[in-house]
Short mmCIF file of all heavy atoms in Angstrom, two decimals:
data_model
loop_
_atom_site.label_atom_id
_atom_site.label_comp_id
_atom_site.label_asym_id
_atom_site.label_seq_id
_atom_site.Cartn_x
_atom_site.Cartn_y
_atom_site.Cartn_z
N LEU A 35 8.55 2.39 -10.18
CA LEU A 35 8.37 2.55 -11.63
C LEU A 35 8.49 4.00 -12.06
O LEU A 35 9.08 4.31 -13.10
CB LEU A 35 7.01 1.99 -12.07
CG LEU A 35 6.91 0.47 -12.12
CD1 LEU A 35 5.46 0.03 -12.28
CD2 LEU A 35 7.76 -0.08 -13.25
N SER A 36 7.96 4.90 -11.25
CA SER A 36 8.08 6.33 -11.55
C SER A 36 9.53 6.76 -11.55
O SER A 36 9.98 7.50 -12.44
CB SER A 36 7.28 7.15 -10.54
OG SER A 36 5.92 6.81 -10.58
N LEU A 38 12.09 4.80 -12.06
CA LEU A 38 12.73 4.16 -13.20
C LEU A 38 12.50 4.96 -14.48
O LEU A 38 13.41 5.15 -15.29
CB LEU A 38 12.24 2.73 -13.36
CG LEU A 38 12.77 1.95 -14.57
CD1 LEU A 38 14.30 1.91 -14.58
CD2 LEU A 38 12.19 0.54 -14.57
N MET A 39 11.28 5.46 -14.64
CA MET A 39 10.98 6.27 -15.83
C MET A 39 11.83 7.54 -15.83
O MET A 39 12.44 7.89 -16.85
CB MET A 39 9.50 6.62 -15.88
CG MET A 39 8.62 5.42 -16.15
SD MET A 39 6.87 5.82 -16.17
CE MET A 39 6.71 6.42 -17.85
N THR A 42 15.49 6.70 -16.48
CA THR A 42 15.70 6.36 -17.89
C THR A 42 15.86 7.62 -18.72
O THR A 42 16.81 7.74 -19.51
CB THR A 42 14.52 5.51 -18.42
OG1 THR A 42 14.46 4.30 -17.66
CG2 THR A 42 14.67 5.20 -19.90
N ALA A 55 15.25 6.72 -28.61
CA ALA A 55 15.91 5.47 -28.18
C ALA A 55 15.24 4.88 -26.93
O ALA A 55 15.20 3.67 -26.77
CB ALA A 55 17.39 5.72 -27.92
N ALA A 56 14.69 5.74 -26.09
CA ALA A 56 14.05 5.26 -24.86
C ALA A 56 12.54 5.06 -25.03
O ALA A 56 11.89 4.55 -24.13
CB ALA A 56 14.29 6.25 -23.73
N GLN A 57 12.02 5.45 -26.16
CA GLN A 57 10.56 5.48 -26.34
C GLN A 57 9.90 4.12 -26.10
O GLN A 57 8.89 4.02 -25.42
CB GLN A 57 10.21 6.00 -27.73
CG GLN A 57 8.74 6.35 -27.87
CD GLN A 57 8.31 7.42 -26.88
OE1 GLN A 57 9.02 8.39 -26.65
NE2 GLN A 57 7.15 7.23 -26.28
N SER A 58 10.46 3.06 -26.65
CA SER A 58 9.85 1.74 -26.49
C SER A 58 9.84 1.30 -25.02
O SER A 58 8.82 0.80 -24.53
CB SER A 58 10.61 0.72 -27.34
OG SER A 58 10.00 -0.55 -27.23
N ALA A 59 10.94 1.50 -24.33
CA ALA A 59 11.01 1.14 -22.91
C ALA A 59 10.04 1.99 -22.09
O ALA A 59 9.33 1.47 -21.21
CB ALA A 59 12.43 1.31 -22.38
N LEU A 60 9.98 3.29 -22.40
CA LEU A 60 9.06 4.17 -21.66
C LEU A 60 7.60 3.80 -21.90
O LEU A 60 6.77 3.89 -21.00
CB LEU A 60 9.32 5.63 -22.03
CG LEU A 60 10.65 6.22 -21.54
CD1 LEU A 60 10.87 7.60 -22.13
CD2 LEU A 60 10.70 6.25 -20.02
N ALA A 61 7.29 3.37 -23.11
CA ALA A 61 5.92 2.94 -23.42
C ALA A 61 5.55 1.73 -22.56
O ALA A 61 4.45 1.65 -22.02
CB ALA A 61 5.78 2.63 -24.90
N ARG A 62 6.48 0.78 -22.43
CA ARG A 62 6.23 -0.41 -21.61
C ARG A 62 6.10 -0.04 -20.14
O ARG A 62 5.25 -0.56 -19.41
CB ARG A 62 7.34 -1.45 -21.78
CG ARG A 62 7.50 -1.98 -23.18
CD ARG A 62 6.30 -2.84 -23.58
NE ARG A 62 6.49 -3.42 -24.88
CZ ARG A 62 5.90 -2.97 -25.99
NH1 ARG A 62 5.09 -1.95 -25.94
NH2 ARG A 62 6.12 -3.55 -27.15
N LEU A 63 6.96 0.87 -19.69
CA LEU A 63 6.88 1.32 -18.30
C LEU A 63 5.57 2.05 -18.03
O LEU A 63 5.00 1.92 -16.94
CB LEU A 63 8.08 2.22 -17.95
CG LEU A 63 9.44 1.53 -17.88
CD1 LEU A 63 10.54 2.56 -17.70
CD2 LEU A 63 9.46 0.50 -16.76
N THR A 64 5.09 2.80 -19.00
CA THR A 64 3.81 3.48 -18.87
C THR A 64 2.68 2.46 -18.68
O THR A 64 1.80 2.64 -17.83
CB THR A 64 3.52 4.36 -20.10
OG1 THR A 64 4.57 5.33 -20.21
CG2 THR A 64 2.19 5.08 -19.99
N GLU A 65 2.73 1.39 -19.45
CA GLU A 65 1.73 0.33 -19.30
C GLU A 65 1.82 -0.31 -17.92
O GLU A 65 0.79 -0.57 -17.27
CB GLU A 65 1.92 -0.74 -20.37
CG GLU A 65 1.59 -0.28 -21.78
CD GLU A 65 1.91 -1.34 -22.82
OE1 GLU A 65 1.79 -2.55 -22.51
OE2 GLU A 65 2.28 -0.96 -23.94
N ALA A 66 3.04 -0.56 -17.46
CA ALA A 66 3.23 -1.17 -16.14
C ALA A 66 2.74 -0.24 -15.04
O ALA A 66 2.07 -0.67 -14.09
CB ALA A 66 4.71 -1.52 -15.93
N LEU A 67 3.04 1.05 -15.17
CA LEU A 67 2.61 2.02 -14.17
C LEU A 67 1.09 2.13 -14.14
O LEU A 67 0.47 2.14 -13.07
CB LEU A 67 3.25 3.38 -14.45
CG LEU A 67 3.03 4.47 -13.42
CD1 LEU A 67 3.53 4.05 -12.05
CD2 LEU A 67 3.74 5.75 -13.86
N THR A 68 0.47 2.17 -15.31
CA THR A 68 -0.99 2.23 -15.39
C THR A 68 -1.61 1.00 -14.74
O THR A 68 -2.60 1.11 -14.00
CB THR A 68 -1.44 2.36 -16.86
OG1 THR A 68 -0.88 3.55 -17.41
CG2 THR A 68 -2.94 2.40 -16.98
N ALA A 69 -1.05 -0.16 -15.00
CA ALA A 69 -1.56 -1.39 -14.40
C ALA A 69 -1.44 -1.35 -12.88
O ALA A 69 -2.35 -1.78 -12.16
CB ALA A 69 -0.82 -2.60 -14.96
N ASN A 70 -0.33 -0.81 -12.38
CA ASN A 70 -0.15 -0.71 -10.93
C ASN A 70 -1.13 0.28 -10.31
O ASN A 70 -1.64 0.03 -9.21
CB ASN A 70 1.29 -0.31 -10.59
CG ASN A 70 2.20 -1.50 -10.48
OD1 ASN A 70 2.07 -2.29 -9.57
ND2 ASN A 70 3.10 -1.63 -11.42
#
Side-chain angles (χ1 to χ4, degrees):
L35 285 168
S36 299
L38 177 56
M39 291 178 83
T42 298
Q57 193 59 42
S58 182
L60 291 172
R62 298 292 184 257
L63 290 173
T64 300
E65 291 175 32
L67 187 57
T68 301
N70 273 291

